Amino acid sequence: MDEYGFGEDKEMIDYIISHLSKENKKGITADKVESVIDFMLDFFESKGYLDDTKDENEDVEIDETEMHDFIMEKLAKASISITSEQLEEILDLEYQYNQEGGVYN
């Protein structure tokens, strides 16, 4: 994850796990969170969002439903079970963590 400038893996994962709601924390491990983040980056890469030749100032519209479905499919193929609600909260917390860290404007 660090290669894309998404902060220290462990710090972000710890942040996400510590901020998950009680109902969504059940069954969530650091490995599951890391897989979600890795699959999110796979989605970004598949859409060309991580292309070094893109203009940094260009706004990127992310179809959250498409990203959600992409990640859920990857998780299923990897036999990693999390609920849709858990995924949504993990993604929200990833965004919050990186927004606070200045990765997202």
Side-chain angles (χ1 to χ4, degrees):
M1 279 187 274
D2 288 340
E3 67 198 73
Y4 297 112
F6 280 86
E8 290 294 323
D9 298 358
K10 183 174 176 2
E11 288 177 21
M12 179 172 30
I13 291 168
D14 289 346
Y15 176 90
I16 291 169
I17 290 173
S18 69
H19 287 82
L20 276 171
S21 62
K22 187 176 179 179
E23 59 271 7
N24 283 331
K25 197 175 275 195
K26 185 177 180 184
I28 295 296
T29 64
D31 287 339
K32 287 183 179 183
V33 172
E34 184 171 20
S35 292
V36 167
I37 303 305
D38 287 344
F39 296 150
M40 179 194 74
L41 292 173
D42 289 348
F43 176 78
F44 288 170
E45 191 167 7
S46 76
K47 294 296 186 182
Y49 301 153
L50 302 176
D51 185 353
D52 289 341
T53 61
K54 284 195 125 181
D55 179 5
E56 284 184 24
N57 296 321
E58 183 181 338
D59 286 338
V60 174
E61 286 281 330
I62 297 172
D63 183 329
E64 292 181 17
T65 301
E66 184 181 4
M67 181 172 67
H68 176 276
D69 294 346
F70 178 93
I71 295 170
M72 287 301 283
E73 185 177 315
K74 290 271 209 171
L75 290 167
K77 286 181 181 176
S79 298
I80 301 169
S81 72
I82 69 170
T83 67
S84 183
E85 292 79 14
Q86 287 172 317
L87 173 59
E88 289 173 18
E89 188 170 5
I90 290 168
L91 292 173
D92 287 346
L93 289 167
E94 178 277 335
Y95 181 79
Q96 181 178 325
Y97 175 86
N98 282 305
Q99 190 173 37
E100 290 171 9
V103 174
Y104 300 134
N105 300 351

XYZ file of all heavy atoms in Angstrom:
857
model
N 0.809 -1.200 0.000
C 0.000 0.000 0.000
C 0.853 1.266 0.000
O 0.458 2.250 -0.588
C -0.902 0.025 1.218
C -2.155 -0.796 1.066
S -3.283 -0.571 2.440
C -2.654 -1.760 3.596
N 1.985 1.234 0.659
C 2.790 2.441 0.786
C 3.219 3.009 -0.557
O 3.377 4.217 -0.695
C 4.041 2.174 1.631
C 3.714 2.002 3.091
O 2.631 2.451 3.506
O 4.528 1.409 3.815
N 3.373 2.153 -1.575
C 3.845 2.619 -2.870
C 2.905 3.644 -3.494
O 3.293 4.405 -4.357
C 4.050 1.444 -3.818
C 2.746 0.757 -4.194
C 2.942 -0.623 -4.763
O 3.276 -1.532 -3.996
O 2.743 -0.764 -5.972
N 1.650 3.676 -3.092
C 0.690 4.625 -3.629
C 0.504 5.838 -2.730
O -0.361 6.658 -2.966
C -0.669 3.942 -3.844
C -0.599 2.838 -4.869
C -0.766 1.517 -4.497
C -0.355 3.117 -6.202
C -0.688 0.509 -5.433
C -0.275 2.118 -7.142
C -0.441 0.813 -6.761
O -0.365 -0.181 -7.680
N 1.285 5.941 -1.662
C 1.189 7.094 -0.786
C -0.002 7.043 0.150
O -0.536 8.068 0.526
N -0.427 5.839 0.537
C -1.584 5.715 1.406
C -1.185 5.546 2.865
O -1.890 4.926 3.636
C -2.459 4.531 0.964
C -3.329 4.865 -0.208
C -2.852 4.737 -1.494
C -4.611 5.338 -0.026
C -3.646 5.062 -2.576
C -5.411 5.668 -1.105
C -4.928 5.525 -2.389
N -0.055 6.107 3.259
C 0.323 6.082 4.663
C 0.877 4.741 5.092
O 1.021 3.816 4.311
N 1.218 4.649 6.340
C 1.732 3.409 6.900
C 0.597 2.412 7.055
O -0.416 2.721 7.682
C 2.401 3.670 8.259
C 3.698 4.420 8.165
C 4.790 3.633 7.478
O 4.875 2.403 7.669
O 5.552 4.251 6.716
N 0.798 1.230 6.499
C -0.235 0.201 6.541
C -0.738 -0.045 7.961
O -1.937 -0.004 8.212
C 0.291 -1.132 5.993
C 0.712 -1.069 4.539
O 0.575 0.001 3.917
O 1.181 -2.082 4.037
N 0.182 -0.325 8.865
C -0.200 -0.699 10.228
C -0.981 0.423 10.913
O -1.993 0.162 11.557
C 1.027 -1.078 11.049
C 0.660 -1.552 12.449
C 1.850 -2.059 13.209
C 1.583 -2.452 14.630
N 0.271 -2.380 15.185
N -0.529 1.638 10.754
C -1.217 2.773 11.393
C -2.646 2.905 10.868
O -3.573 3.116 11.645
C -0.458 4.074 11.147
C 0.829 4.190 11.916
C 1.578 5.471 11.580
O 0.946 6.427 11.080
O 2.790 5.507 11.813
N -2.805 2.803 9.551
C -4.133 2.936 8.968
C -5.026 1.777 9.400
O -6.180 1.994 9.763
C -4.070 2.995 7.436
C -5.456 3.120 6.821
S -5.551 3.431 5.037
C -4.130 2.663 4.361
N -4.502 0.579 9.361
C -5.292 -0.592 9.751
C -5.695 -0.495 11.214
O -6.849 -0.750 11.568
C -4.521 -1.895 9.447
C -4.433 -2.075 7.922
C -5.175 -3.099 10.110
C -3.463 -3.149 7.471
N -4.758 -0.107 12.069
C -5.077 0.071 13.495
C -6.153 1.140 13.683
O -7.066 0.981 14.497
C -3.837 0.453 14.299
C -2.842 -0.684 14.459
O -3.208 -1.852 14.175
O -1.689 -0.411 14.854
N -6.054 2.230 12.936
C -7.048 3.300 13.000
C -8.425 2.763 12.619
O -9.419 3.008 13.311
C -6.637 4.445 12.067
C -7.644 5.560 11.973
C -7.589 6.636 12.850
C -8.653 5.540 11.011
C -8.512 7.681 12.770
C -9.584 6.569 10.927
C -9.511 7.622 11.805
O -10.436 8.645 11.732
N -8.489 2.055 11.517
C -9.765 1.527 11.040
C -10.368 0.578 12.061
O -11.538 0.718 12.429
C -9.596 0.841 9.665
C -9.288 1.901 8.593
C -10.838 0.026 9.299
C -8.834 1.333 7.261
N -9.578 -0.361 12.547
C -10.098 -1.339 13.511
C -10.551 -0.655 14.791
O -11.616 -0.965 15.332
C -9.051 -2.439 13.793
C -8.902 -3.323 12.541
C -9.451 -3.283 15.004
C -7.786 -4.341 12.620
N -9.792 0.321 15.258
C -10.155 0.975 16.522
C -11.385 1.872 16.382
O -12.044 2.162 17.379
C -8.973 1.777 17.070
O -8.698 2.895 16.266
N -11.697 2.312 15.153
C -12.837 3.194 14.954
C -14.086 2.489 14.410
O -15.131 3.129 14.248
C -12.455 4.352 14.027
C -11.570 5.352 14.675
N -10.206 5.189 14.784
C -11.857 6.528 15.282
C -9.701 6.225 15.419
N -10.678 7.056 15.738
N -13.977 1.198 14.140
C -15.158 0.461 13.667
C -16.230 0.443 14.752
O -15.922 0.333 15.941
C -14.795 -0.991 13.329
C -14.211 -1.263 11.949
C -13.698 -2.699 11.868
C -15.227 -1.008 10.856
N -17.463 0.538 14.330
C -18.567 0.450 15.283
C -18.601 -0.959 15.878
O -18.108 -1.912 15.275
C -19.889 0.758 14.589
O -20.142 -0.198 13.570
N -19.176 -1.049 17.050
C -19.225 -2.330 17.761
C -19.861 -3.426 16.905
O -19.355 -4.541 16.844
C -20.002 -2.150 19.070
C -19.973 -3.358 19.966
C -20.682 -3.064 21.287
C -20.675 -4.295 22.174
N -21.319 -4.039 23.459
N -20.959 -3.088 16.219
C -21.650 -4.105 15.426
C -20.853 -4.544 14.202
O -20.999 -5.676 13.745
C -23.050 -3.650 15.020
C -23.113 -2.374 14.204
C -23.220 -1.099 15.033
O -23.123 -1.140 16.268
O -23.389 -0.036 14.420
N -19.988 -3.687 13.685
C -19.196 -4.057 12.512
C -17.809 -4.594 12.844
O -17.103 -5.073 11.960
C -19.070 -2.864 11.552
C -20.333 -2.642 10.764
O -21.085 -3.575 10.499
N -20.576 -1.400 10.386
N -17.421 -4.514 14.095
C -16.093 -4.978 14.502
C -16.021 -6.506 14.590
O -14.954 -7.092 14.422
C -15.728 -4.356 15.843
C -14.243 -4.441 16.159
C -13.911 -3.710 17.432
C -13.692 -2.259 17.110
N -13.043 -1.497 18.167
N -17.170 -7.145 14.793
C -17.202 -8.592 14.987
C -16.628 -9.336 13.770
O -17.103 -9.164 12.652
C -18.638 -9.070 15.239
C -18.746 -10.535 15.558
C -20.162 -10.946 15.870
C -20.202 -12.429 16.189
N -21.543 -12.894 16.403
N -15.576 -10.115 14.028
C -14.973 -10.939 12.987
C -13.979 -10.215 12.101
O -13.402 -10.804 11.190
N -13.762 -8.931 12.337
C -12.834 -8.173 11.510
C -11.429 -8.284 12.095
O -11.216 -8.068 13.278
C -13.254 -6.686 11.406
C -14.587 -6.571 10.683
C -12.175 -5.859 10.701
C -14.568 -7.034 9.236
N -10.494 -8.639 11.226
C -9.084 -8.753 11.604
C -8.262 -7.767 10.776
O -8.734 -7.247 9.766
C -8.568 -10.170 11.347
O -8.619 -10.419 9.927
C -9.377 -11.224 12.100
N -7.029 -7.573 11.197
C -6.126 -6.711 10.437
C -5.936 -7.254 9.019
O -5.875 -6.483 8.057
C -4.785 -6.594 11.152
N -5.874 -8.567 8.882
C -5.710 -9.170 7.555
C -6.903 -8.863 6.649
O -6.737 -8.599 5.461
C -5.521 -10.686 7.655
C -4.150 -11.073 8.197
O -3.215 -10.249 8.128
O -4.015 -12.209 8.684
N -8.102 -8.892 7.200
C -9.288 -8.585 6.407
C -9.288 -7.127 5.972
O -9.609 -6.812 4.824
C -10.572 -8.908 7.183
C -10.849 -10.399 7.302
C -12.158 -10.679 8.013
C -12.425 -12.170 8.094
N -13.722 -12.469 8.721
N -8.920 -6.238 6.875
C -8.865 -4.814 6.542
C -7.808 -4.583 5.462
O -8.053 -3.868 4.484
C -8.590 -3.945 7.784
C -8.345 -2.492 7.392
C -9.735 -4.053 8.778
N -6.657 -5.221 5.607
C -5.601 -5.060 4.609
C -6.055 -5.571 3.241
O -5.790 -4.942 2.216
C -4.336 -5.789 5.047
C -3.183 -5.563 4.082
C -1.853 -6.082 4.603
O -1.832 -6.935 5.496
O -0.830 -5.600 4.079
N -6.788 -6.673 3.219
C -7.312 -7.197 1.958
C -8.285 -6.211 1.319
O -8.238 -5.982 0.099
C -8.004 -8.545 2.180
O -7.072 -9.530 2.543
N -9.156 -5.624 2.121
C -10.098 -4.629 1.597
C -9.334 -3.467 0.963
O -9.642 -3.041 -0.156
C -11.047 -4.106 2.700
C -11.793 -2.857 2.246
C -12.035 -5.192 3.107
N -8.330 -2.971 1.652
C -7.557 -1.841 1.140
C -6.810 -2.240 -0.135
O -6.775 -1.487 -1.114
C -6.581 -1.288 2.203
C -7.324 -0.870 3.481
C -5.749 -0.137 1.641
C -8.446 0.116 3.295
N -6.228 -3.431 -0.134
C -5.531 -3.908 -1.335
C -6.488 -4.009 -2.524
O -6.149 -3.608 -3.635
C -4.874 -5.267 -1.083
C -3.639 -5.176 -0.199
O -3.093 -4.064 -0.019
O -3.219 -6.226 0.321
N -7.692 -4.532 -2.282
C -8.674 -4.657 -3.361
C -9.197 -3.291 -3.807
O -9.504 -3.090 -4.979
C -9.819 -5.593 -2.960
C -9.382 -7.014 -2.734
C -10.042 -7.819 -1.821
C -8.312 -7.571 -3.425
C -9.662 -9.138 -1.608
C -7.915 -8.886 -3.220
C -8.591 -9.673 -2.307
N -9.266 -2.343 -2.876
C -9.654 -0.992 -3.233
C -8.607 -0.393 -4.178
O -8.938 0.213 -5.195
C -9.788 -0.114 -1.983
C -10.170 1.324 -2.283
S -9.933 2.426 -0.858
C -8.160 2.562 -0.852
N -7.338 -0.613 -3.861
C -6.271 -0.125 -4.720
C -6.286 -0.834 -6.075
O -6.004 -0.207 -7.107
C -4.913 -0.292 -4.033
C -4.698 0.596 -2.807
C -3.398 0.243 -2.095
C -4.720 2.062 -3.178
N -6.628 -2.122 -6.079
C -6.787 -2.846 -7.351
C -7.874 -2.187 -8.198
O -7.725 -2.045 -9.415
C -7.157 -4.311 -7.117
C -6.020 -5.149 -6.563
O -4.862 -4.678 -6.562
O -6.303 -6.287 -6.118
N -8.970 -1.799 -7.554
C -10.050 -1.117 -8.262
C -9.552 0.209 -8.838
O -9.781 0.510 -10.013
C -11.244 -0.878 -7.325
C -12.355 -0.086 -7.961
C -13.231 -0.686 -8.848
C -12.508 1.265 -7.682
C -14.245 0.045 -9.458
C -13.520 2.006 -8.284
C -14.389 1.389 -9.172
N -8.864 1.001 -8.015
C -8.333 2.287 -8.482
C -7.405 2.078 -9.680
O -7.463 2.813 -10.654
C -7.573 3.006 -7.367
C -8.426 3.569 -6.267
C -7.829 4.060 -5.118
C -9.810 3.620 -6.347
C -8.583 4.596 -4.085
C -10.582 4.152 -5.320
C -9.960 4.645 -4.185
N -6.549 1.069 -9.564
C -5.605 0.785 -10.644
C -6.338 0.352 -11.912
O -6.000 0.793 -13.017
C -4.608 -0.286 -10.202
C -3.456 -0.452 -11.155
C -2.327 -1.282 -10.578
O -2.469 -1.847 -9.476
O -1.301 -1.369 -11.261
N -7.370 -0.484 -11.762
C -8.120 -0.959 -12.934
C -8.826 0.180 -13.663
O -9.086 0.101 -14.857
C -9.132 -2.039 -12.523
O -10.260 -1.481 -11.877
N -9.137 1.240 -12.943
C -9.803 2.407 -13.526
C -8.817 3.467 -14.009
O -9.227 4.487 -14.545
C -10.759 3.039 -12.501
C -11.917 2.149 -12.132
C -12.779 1.921 -13.352
C -14.030 1.173 -13.026
N -14.838 0.927 -14.221
N -7.525 3.240 -13.766
C -6.514 4.199 -14.186
C -6.333 5.373 -13.245
O -5.642 6.336 -13.568
N -6.931 5.305 -12.063
C -6.841 6.411 -11.105
C -5.429 6.586 -10.542
O -5.107 7.649 -10.023
C -7.805 6.224 -9.937
C -9.263 6.130 -10.314
C -10.152 5.431 -9.514
C -9.769 6.738 -11.453
C -11.499 5.335 -9.838
C -11.116 6.652 -11.784
C -11.972 5.947 -10.973
O -13.301 5.854 -11.294
N -4.623 5.544 -10.607
C -3.279 5.598 -10.036
C -2.217 5.815 -11.104
O -1.026 5.718 -10.830
C -2.986 4.316 -9.251
C -3.956 4.010 -8.112
C -3.631 2.673 -7.474
C -3.941 5.112 -7.068
N -2.644 6.136 -12.301
C -1.746 6.356 -13.430
C -0.881 7.589 -13.163
O -1.400 8.685 -12.923
C -2.580 6.543 -14.703
C -1.741 6.661 -15.956
O -0.499 6.734 -15.861
O -2.334 6.674 -17.045
N 0.433 7.404 -13.204
C 1.367 8.499 -12.925
C 1.295 9.621 -13.954
O 1.742 10.730 -13.681
C 2.807 7.978 -12.867
C 3.076 7.140 -11.627
O 2.307 7.240 -10.654
O 4.073 6.392 -11.633
N 0.759 9.331 -15.126
C 0.719 10.345 -16.175
C -0.516 11.247 -16.071
O -0.617 12.218 -16.798
C 0.741 9.692 -17.578
O -0.412 8.865 -17.737
C 2.008 8.877 -17.769
N -1.433 10.922 -15.165
C -2.648 11.739 -15.003
C -2.320 13.056 -14.307
O -1.425 13.142 -13.486
C -3.687 10.986 -14.162
C -4.387 9.899 -14.929
C -5.594 9.477 -14.161
C -6.719 9.628 -15.098
N -7.996 9.379 -14.810
N -3.104 14.061 -14.629
C -2.987 15.363 -13.999
C -3.435 15.246 -12.539
O -4.556 14.821 -12.263
C -3.877 16.362 -14.749
C -3.840 17.759 -14.159
O -3.066 18.008 -13.218
O -4.600 18.606 -14.658
N -2.549 15.614 -11.618
C -2.859 15.518 -10.185
C -4.054 16.370 -9.785
O -4.731 16.083 -8.812
C -1.648 15.924 -9.339
C -0.570 14.888 -9.273
C 0.564 15.324 -8.346
O 0.333 16.154 -7.445
O 1.677 14.826 -8.537
N -4.293 17.444 -10.509
C -5.375 18.358 -10.160
C -6.711 17.930 -10.752
O -7.729 18.545 -10.462
C -5.033 19.774 -10.614
C -3.819 20.309 -9.890
O -3.650 20.066 -8.708
N -2.970 21.026 -10.598
N -6.698 16.890 -11.568
C -7.937 16.410 -12.187
C -8.799 15.694 -11.151
O -8.327 14.838 -10.418
C -7.594 15.439 -13.322
C -8.787 14.920 -14.080
C -8.370 13.948 -15.179
O -7.220 13.994 -15.622
O -9.224 13.142 -15.565
N -10.056 16.102 -11.064
C -10.975 15.457 -10.136
C -11.329 14.070 -10.647
O -11.515 13.870 -11.845
C -12.260 16.274 -9.981
C -12.056 17.523 -9.150
O -11.089 17.565 -8.358
O -12.872 18.457 -9.275
N -11.423 13.140 -9.711
C -11.771 11.765 -10.046
C -13.121 11.450 -9.416
O -13.305 11.651 -8.218
C -10.706 10.775 -9.519
C -11.133 9.345 -9.729
C -9.360 11.043 -10.168
N -14.054 11.003 -10.235
C -15.363 10.574 -9.741
C -15.316 9.059 -9.535
O -15.082 8.316 -10.489
C -16.453 10.908 -10.759
C -16.794 12.369 -10.824
C -17.712 12.805 -9.688
O -18.516 12.001 -9.197
O -17.598 13.987 -9.300
N -15.504 8.628 -8.314
C -15.473 7.201 -8.004
C -16.899 6.711 -7.836
O -17.650 7.236 -7.007
C -14.640 6.935 -6.732
C -13.187 7.350 -6.968
C -14.722 5.465 -6.330
C -12.316 7.314 -5.744
N -17.250 5.716 -8.613
C -18.557 5.078 -8.492
C -18.470 4.124 -7.296
O -17.903 3.039 -7.393
C -18.904 4.331 -9.781
C -20.289 3.706 -9.749
O -20.762 3.308 -8.659
O -20.894 3.599 -10.828
N -19.005 4.578 -6.168
C -18.872 3.811 -4.930
C -19.570 2.459 -5.007
O -19.093 1.482 -4.423
C -19.389 4.628 -3.748
C -18.500 5.819 -3.459
C -18.962 6.647 -2.272
O -19.782 6.166 -1.459
O -18.495 7.792 -2.168
N -20.682 2.378 -5.720
C -21.378 1.096 -5.869
C -20.529 0.126 -6.677
O -20.387 -1.046 -6.313
C -22.754 1.298 -6.552
O -23.521 2.197 -5.756
C -23.485 -0.016 -6.716
N -19.936 0.623 -7.747
C -19.074 -0.221 -8.571
C -17.857 -0.697 -7.775
O -17.465 -1.858 -7.851
C -18.631 0.547 -9.813
C -17.807 -0.268 -10.782
C -17.360 0.525 -12.007
O -17.618 1.740 -12.092
O -16.737 -0.102 -12.874
N -17.247 0.218 -7.000
C -16.099 -0.156 -6.184
C -16.506 -1.178 -5.128
O -15.800 -2.169 -4.905
C -15.488 1.081 -5.515
C -14.269 0.746 -4.670
S -13.373 2.196 -4.040
C -14.565 2.890 -2.905
N -17.627 -0.963 -4.484
C -18.131 -1.884 -3.470
C -18.302 -3.284 -4.071
O -17.845 -4.278 -3.504
C -19.463 -1.359 -2.925
C -20.127 -2.258 -1.952
N -20.935 -3.302 -2.342
C -20.123 -2.283 -0.595
C -21.384 -3.925 -1.279
N -20.915 -3.323 -0.203
N -18.963 -3.358 -5.219
C -19.209 -4.652 -5.859
C -17.907 -5.325 -6.277
O -17.745 -6.540 -6.125
C -20.135 -4.490 -7.064
C -21.536 -4.044 -6.668
O -21.884 -4.109 -5.462
O -22.286 -3.609 -7.573
N -16.963 -4.539 -6.794
C -15.654 -5.048 -7.200
C -14.945 -5.683 -6.005
O -14.426 -6.801 -6.088
C -14.820 -3.891 -7.773
C -13.424 -4.252 -8.195
C -13.145 -4.617 -9.501
C -12.363 -4.180 -7.292
C -11.847 -4.926 -9.901
C -11.069 -4.493 -7.672
C -10.805 -4.870 -8.983
N -14.924 -4.964 -4.886
C -14.232 -5.451 -3.689
C -14.940 -6.685 -3.118
O -14.279 -7.657 -2.749
C -14.099 -4.335 -2.628
C -13.200 -3.219 -3.165
C -13.565 -4.891 -1.309
C -13.188 -1.963 -2.318
N -16.268 -6.656 -3.060
C -17.004 -7.813 -2.540
C -16.722 -9.060 -3.379
O -16.560 -10.160 -2.843
C -18.506 -7.530 -2.478
C -18.920 -6.585 -1.369
S -18.509 -7.122 0.323
C -19.791 -8.347 0.601
N -16.631 -8.896 -4.691
C -16.332 -10.022 -5.576
C -14.929 -10.563 -5.310
O -14.729 -11.772 -5.226
C -16.457 -9.577 -7.034
C -16.283 -10.704 -8.029
C -16.487 -10.233 -9.463
O -17.461 -9.494 -9.716
O -15.666 -10.610 -10.303
N -13.965 -9.662 -5.158
C -12.591 -10.076 -4.858
C -12.513 -10.780 -3.503
O -11.806 -11.778 -3.360
C -11.656 -8.866 -4.858
C -11.403 -8.266 -6.193
C -10.218 -8.932 -6.834
C -9.523 -7.982 -7.759
N -8.266 -8.514 -8.244
N -13.231 -10.270 -2.515
C -13.247 -10.897 -1.195
C -13.837 -12.293 -1.271
O -13.309 -13.229 -0.671
C -14.035 -10.036 -0.200
C -13.404 -8.707 0.213
C -14.422 -7.836 0.927
C -12.177 -8.941 1.087
N -14.920 -12.452 -2.012
C -15.566 -13.758 -2.160
C -14.614 -14.755 -2.827
O -14.500 -15.913 -2.386
C -16.856 -13.637 -2.960
N -13.926 -14.307 -3.873
C -12.971 -15.183 -4.572
C -11.824 -15.602 -3.654
O -11.265 -16.686 -3.810
C -12.424 -14.504 -5.817
C -13.418 -14.453 -6.950
C -12.828 -13.785 -8.178
C -13.860 -13.734 -9.292
N -13.383 -13.008 -10.469
N -11.465 -14.728 -2.715
C -10.384 -15.018 -1.770
C -10.901 -15.716 -0.511
O -10.131 -15.946 0.419
C -9.670 -13.721 -1.396
N -12.192 -16.043 -0.489
C -12.836 -16.691 0.667
C -12.688 -15.876 1.949
O -12.450 -16.413 3.022
C -12.291 -18.111 0.870
O -12.573 -18.905 -0.256
N -12.812 -14.565 1.808
C -12.777 -13.654 2.950
C -14.192 -13.147 3.151
O -14.748 -12.493 2.280
C -11.815 -12.470 2.695
C -10.402 -12.984 2.439
C -11.857 -11.485 3.868
C -9.446 -11.928 1.924
N -14.756 -13.489 4.301
C -16.150 -13.100 4.505
C -16.268 -11.875 5.417
O -15.760 -11.872 6.536
C -16.952 -14.273 5.083
O -16.593 -14.500 6.408
N -16.880 -10.847 4.839
C -17.296 -9.679 5.604
C -18.630 -9.249 5.028
O -18.962 -9.581 3.890
C -16.270 -8.518 5.581
C -16.175 -7.890 4.191
C -14.912 -8.955 6.071
C -15.359 -6.606 4.178
N -19.383 -8.528 5.817
C -20.685 -8.069 5.340
C -20.519 -6.800 4.518
O -19.490 -6.112 4.596
C -21.638 -7.779 6.521
O -21.143 -6.643 7.245
C -21.788 -8.985 7.440
N -21.545 -6.490 3.785
C -21.571 -5.264 2.999
C -21.433 -4.045 3.916
O -20.724 -3.092 3.587
C -22.882 -5.211 2.210
O -22.927 -4.087 1.394
N -22.079 -4.098 5.067
C -22.010 -2.993 6.022
C -20.597 -2.831 6.578
O -20.120 -1.706 6.769
C -23.004 -3.205 7.178
C -24.456 -3.111 6.765
C -24.993 -4.386 6.073
O -24.333 -5.455 6.133
O -26.062 -4.296 5.448
N -19.926 -3.955 6.845
C -18.553 -3.881 7.332
C -17.653 -3.255 6.260
O -16.831 -2.392 6.566
C -18.033 -5.275 7.711
C -18.634 -5.812 8.989
C -18.270 -7.258 9.239
O -18.287 -8.090 8.330
N -17.946 -7.573 10.482
N -17.826 -3.684 5.020
C -17.034 -3.126 3.934
C -17.250 -1.620 3.822
O -16.288 -0.855 3.726
C -17.378 -3.811 2.608
C -16.724 -3.196 1.366
C -15.200 -3.225 1.467
C -17.202 -3.905 0.111
N -18.489 -1.195 3.854
C -18.782 0.232 3.735
C -18.127 1.039 4.847
O -17.564 2.110 4.603
C -20.290 0.461 3.721
C -20.944 -0.017 2.442
C -22.466 0.053 2.475
O -23.017 0.773 3.327
O -23.088 -0.618 1.626
N -18.180 0.518 6.069
C -17.573 1.265 7.172
C -16.052 1.263 7.065
O -15.408 2.284 7.337
C -18.013 0.715 8.537
C -17.541 1.619 9.658
C -18.121 1.299 11.022
O -18.847 0.282 11.170
O -17.846 2.075 11.948
N -15.462 0.166 6.647
C -14.005 0.120 6.457
C -13.586 1.148 5.410
O -12.626 1.894 5.606
C -13.538 -1.305 6.066
C -13.679 -2.251 7.262
C -12.090 -1.288 5.556
C -13.517 -3.722 6.923
N -14.309 1.201 4.298
C -13.984 2.171 3.244
C -14.169 3.609 3.729
O -13.360 4.487 3.416
C -14.825 1.910 1.996
C -14.511 0.609 1.253
C -15.515 0.382 0.130
C -13.084 0.591 0.727
N -15.221 3.849 4.500
C -15.444 5.184 5.061
C -14.298 5.585 5.987
O -13.822 6.727 5.960
C -16.763 5.248 5.829
C -17.988 5.238 4.930
O -17.848 5.452 3.702
O -19.094 5.002 5.462
N -13.854 4.646 6.807
C -12.771 4.937 7.748
C -11.432 5.100 7.030
O -10.605 5.919 7.443
C -12.696 3.852 8.829
C -13.842 3.886 9.834
C -13.874 2.612 10.669
C -13.741 5.119 10.727
N -11.226 4.338 5.960
C -10.013 4.512 5.157
C -9.987 5.917 4.592
O -8.974 6.612 4.630
C -9.964 3.463 4.033
C -8.755 3.596 3.113
C -8.925 4.640 2.015
O -10.066 4.949 1.619
O -7.896 5.183 1.566
N -11.117 6.358 4.064
C -11.223 7.703 3.498
C -10.967 8.757 4.579
O -10.200 9.701 4.372
C -12.604 7.910 2.858
C -12.759 9.263 2.231
C -12.218 9.523 0.978
C -13.436 10.286 2.889
C -12.334 10.782 0.395
C -13.559 11.547 2.312
C -13.014 11.781 1.066
O -13.130 13.022 0.506
N -11.594 8.591 5.729
C -11.429 9.533 6.838
C -9.968 9.611 7.267
O -9.418 10.698 7.448
C -12.313 9.099 8.007
C -12.265 10.001 9.208
C -13.200 9.520 10.306
O -14.273 8.998 10.047
N -12.785 9.673 11.538
N -9.327 8.461 7.419
C -7.926 8.416 7.849
C -7.035 9.156 6.847
O -6.202 9.979 7.228
C -7.468 6.961 7.993
C -6.004 6.810 8.319
C -5.559 6.863 9.639
C -5.053 6.618 7.315
C -4.208 6.728 9.951
C -3.706 6.489 7.613
C -3.291 6.541 8.931
O -1.950 6.413 9.235
N -7.226 8.865 5.564
C -6.368 9.472 4.551
C -6.723 10.930 4.285
O -5.851 11.712 3.910
C -6.386 8.641 3.269
C -5.497 7.431 3.418
O -4.321 7.549 3.741
N -6.042 6.260 3.208
N -7.964 11.303 4.499
C -8.327 12.710 4.371
C -7.643 13.524 5.469
O -7.099 14.600 5.220
C -9.844 12.883 4.427
C -10.284 14.277 4.051
C -11.792 14.391 3.954
O -12.512 13.778 4.731
N -12.261 15.163 3.000
N -7.665 12.978 6.688
C -6.985 13.647 7.802
C -5.488 13.728 7.562
O -4.820 14.674 8.000
C -7.263 12.922 9.120
C -8.691 13.069 9.606
C -9.031 12.183 10.800
O -8.121 11.553 11.380
O -10.214 12.126 11.171
N -4.937 12.736 6.862
C -3.505 12.712 6.576
C -3.109 13.484 5.326
O -1.933 13.523 4.956
N -4.076 14.076 4.643
C -3.776 14.904 3.484
C -3.651 14.161 2.171
O -3.269 14.739 1.155
N -3.969 12.856 2.149
C -3.883 12.097 0.907
C -5.004 12.494 -0.029
O -4.798 12.673 -1.234
C -3.910 10.567 1.179
C -3.979 9.782 -0.125
C -2.704 10.151 1.991
N -6.218 12.636 0.521
C -7.362 13.060 -0.272
C -7.636 14.524 0.008
O -7.600 14.966 1.148
C -8.618 12.249 0.097
C -8.497 10.759 -0.107
C -8.929 9.884 0.881
C -7.983 10.221 -1.273
C -8.846 8.517 0.706
C -7.890 8.852 -1.452
C -8.329 7.999 -0.460
O -8.244 6.650 -0.640
N -7.906 15.253 -1.042
C -8.189 16.689 -0.874
C -9.664 16.910 -0.683
O -10.505 16.314 -1.162
C -7.719 17.480 -2.088
C -6.235 17.317 -2.292
O -5.526 16.758 -1.463
N -5.748 17.828 -3.407
